[in-house]
Amino acid sequence: MNVSNLAPDYVRAIAPYQGGKPISELAREMGLNEADIVKLASNENPLGISPKAQMAIDDAIADIARYPDGNSFALRNAVSQKFGVDANQIVFGNGSNDILELSARAFLRAGDEAIFSQHAFAVYPLVTQAVGATGVVVPASNYAHDLDGFLNAITPKTRLIFVANPNNPTGTLIAKDALYAFLKQVPAHVLVVLDEAYDEYLSADHKSEAIGWLSEFAQLIISRTFSKAYGLAGLRVGFGLMHADVADILNRVRQPFNVNSIAQVAAIASLADDDFVQRSYALNQAGMAQLTQGLAQLGLSYIPSYANFICIKVPNAAKVNQQLLQKGVIVRPVANYGMPDYLRVSIGLFSENARFLQVLEEVLKS
């Protein structure tokens, strides 16, 4: 007997999420020096972490023999003050992925449906399938969310809609007025999970106003993360903002101590360092301009992006990706997102972006 057959069919059918290739793994595979490898695959902050966060981590490290605060009291207060929401409207997660999974576990059952876009974050179908619900994929419109298509896909079985803004991996953005009009039309029995992992990389004109809509839309869940602009990807801390009644339900399925103590103090310090976030934003803007100018010179097209990455259309993308790896440059192939002709490239430091463009040119000419 194969013991794995005891698991439900829908679990056995899941293809596990594949993260970006680590630097250490590529070094082993290719016999490269880790110091010579450039990783632009996982949308990480090339500046690292806030100096204030580093100091907080150093101060807290001696206390890791103690369990963390399971309710994240100090971090809850910091998020409450920063974003102007009540403390009981906040749920913390082991990264914002945890908020996505908690939403699915709390509100989806076998036979229910969750809607998400083609070319959207791979975790949406994963968390849907993991609870035995059915994912409904709405075709993208020029690689962006088709909100009218979402509305047309709603049925009595629909319980969740996942909306990424900006979207990963395409970097497309839904305008604020269009998003608001969409929420006004979503039936009350359908929750909308608005994934805003990249909001800190938006300009002031494009910044989300969704937090101000929470009082109007009781079924709205906003997920945010400290993994991107705040640079805490390795500590895994995110949060969700929502109606207090929804937060109460998510907290019932949340694992105890799901956010470790180091992550909590680092997140608090990061929230207090607006200068670091602004520097991260400015670096990303400059790096995006550097890459798009370089791509234009190479005659390559790309999807205009509002995040800290860009999807580039490349001939023989899989082969080019392998050649980049051989030369010590890690980017992200996105064939699993239905985009076999594209590579997603994170914005790095000026030198990292320049190295990528140089190696890409060499590969394309070889």
Side-chain angles (χ1 to χ4, degrees):
M1 175 184 175
N2 186 338
V3 131
S4 67
N5 290 332
L6 298 175
D9 291 345
Y10 56 81
V11 171
R12 287 189 285 116
I14 291 174
Y17 179 82
Q18 298 294 325
K21 184 182 288 290
I23 290 175
S24 58
E25 181 180 334
L26 181 64
R28 289 194 302 270
E29 286 180 0
M30 302 293 180
L32 300 172
N33 186 333
E34 288 191 21
D36 296 331
I37 294 174
V38 170
K39 183 186 178 188
L40 300 175
S42 300
N43 305 340
E44 296 151 337
N45 190 332
L47 289 180
I49 66 172
S50 155
K52 292 182 179 180
Q54 184 66 66
M55 291 176 59
I57 291 170
D58 293 343
D59 290 343
I61 199 74
D63 205 33
I64 59 172
R66 305 290 184 185
Y67 281 102
D69 177 359
N71 291 315
S72 303
F73 178 81
L75 178 56
R76 184 177 303 277
N77 284 341
V79 170
S80 174
Q81 293 176 22
K82 182 78 172 182
F83 296 100
V85 298
D86 291 340
N88 62 359
Q89 292 182 267
I90 308 167
V91 176
F92 291 99
N94 187 238
S96 60
N97 279 18
D98 202 12
I99 303 301
L100 307 178
E101 182 176 2
L102 290 173
S103 300
R105 288 180 58 201
F107 291 102
L108 288 178
R109 298 163 293 186
D112 289 341
E113 294 176 349
I115 296 172
F116 38 83
S117 180
Q118 180 190 22
H119 314 310
F121 190 31
V123 167
Y124 307 152
L126 287 178
V127 298
T128 299
Q129 189 172 350
V131 295
T134 300
V136 177
V137 181
V138 174
S141 174
N142 197 25
Y143 294 102
H145 288 44
D146 178 0
L147 296 183
D148 288 337
F150 277 36
L151 293 172
N152 292 332
I154 294 173
T155 74
K157 294 182 179 181
T158 306
R159 290 293 176 269
L160 279 181
I161 298 176
F162 290 100
V163 176
N165 206 39
N167 182 53
N168 175 25
T170 63
T172 53
L173 184 73
I174 304 168
K176 287 179 281 192
D177 56 349
L179 184 58
Y180 180 79
F182 167 73
L183 290 170
K184 291 281 283 186
Q185 298 177 75
V186 174
H189 75 276
V190 178
L191 284 92
V192 176
V193 180
L194 180 59
D195 184 351
E196 295 188 333
Y198 299 93
D199 184 76
E200 288 81 11
Y201 288 110
L202 295 175
S203 67
D205 290 342
H206 292 118
K207 278 281 188 185
S208 172
E209 297 177 359
I211 294 174
W213 302 340
L214 286 171
S215 59
E216 182 174 358
F217 302 110
Q219 76 269 47
L220 176 61
I221 298 172
I222 301 169
S223 69
R224 294 286 188 94
T225 186
F226 286 93
S227 296
K228 307 304 179 188
Y230 292 106
L232 302 182
L235 287 178
R236 312 305 303 126
V237 54
F239 59 97
L241 307 175
M242 64 207 74
H243 191 281
D245 291 344
V246 176
D248 176 62
I249 295 298
L250 263 63
N251 276 318
R252 297 179 190 217
V253 297
R254 178 177 62 83
Q255 291 293 315
F257 312 118
N258 64 328
V259 180
N260 69 73
S261 55
I262 303 301
Q264 290 185 37
V265 298
I268 292 168
S270 296
L271 285 175
D273 197 343
D274 291 335
D275 177 67
F276 177 78
V277 175
Q278 182 56 39
R279 286 193 292 119
S280 299
Y281 168 79
L283 179 72
N284 190 69
Q285 292 291 101
M288 184 69 76
Q290 179 188 6
L291 279 188
T292 54
Q293 289 168 13
L295 294 172
Q297 291 174 2
L298 293 174
L300 296 175
S301 62
Y302 55 87
I303 302 171
S305 173
Y306 292 85
N308 67 334
F309 56 83
I310 186 167
C311 267
I312 304 166
K313 191 171 186 179
V314 181
N316 302 311
K319 180 181 178 181
V320 169
N321 178 62
Q322 189 60 33
Q323 292 173 311
L324 290 172
L325 290 174
Q326 292 169 356
K327 292 177 176 289
V329 176
I330 309 173
V331 298
R332 189 66 175 270
V334 286
N336 61 317
Y337 285 93
M339 302 170 65
D341 300 326
Y342 283 84
L343 296 175
R344 191 192 70 190
V345 183
S346 304
I347 308 301
L349 300 172
F350 182 89
S351 60
E352 293 173 327
N353 301 331
R355 169 83 182 282
F356 162 70
L357 290 169
Q358 175 192 346
V359 174
L360 179 61
E361 183 176 15
E362 293 173 1
V363 166
L364 293 175
K365 289 181 176 179
S366 64

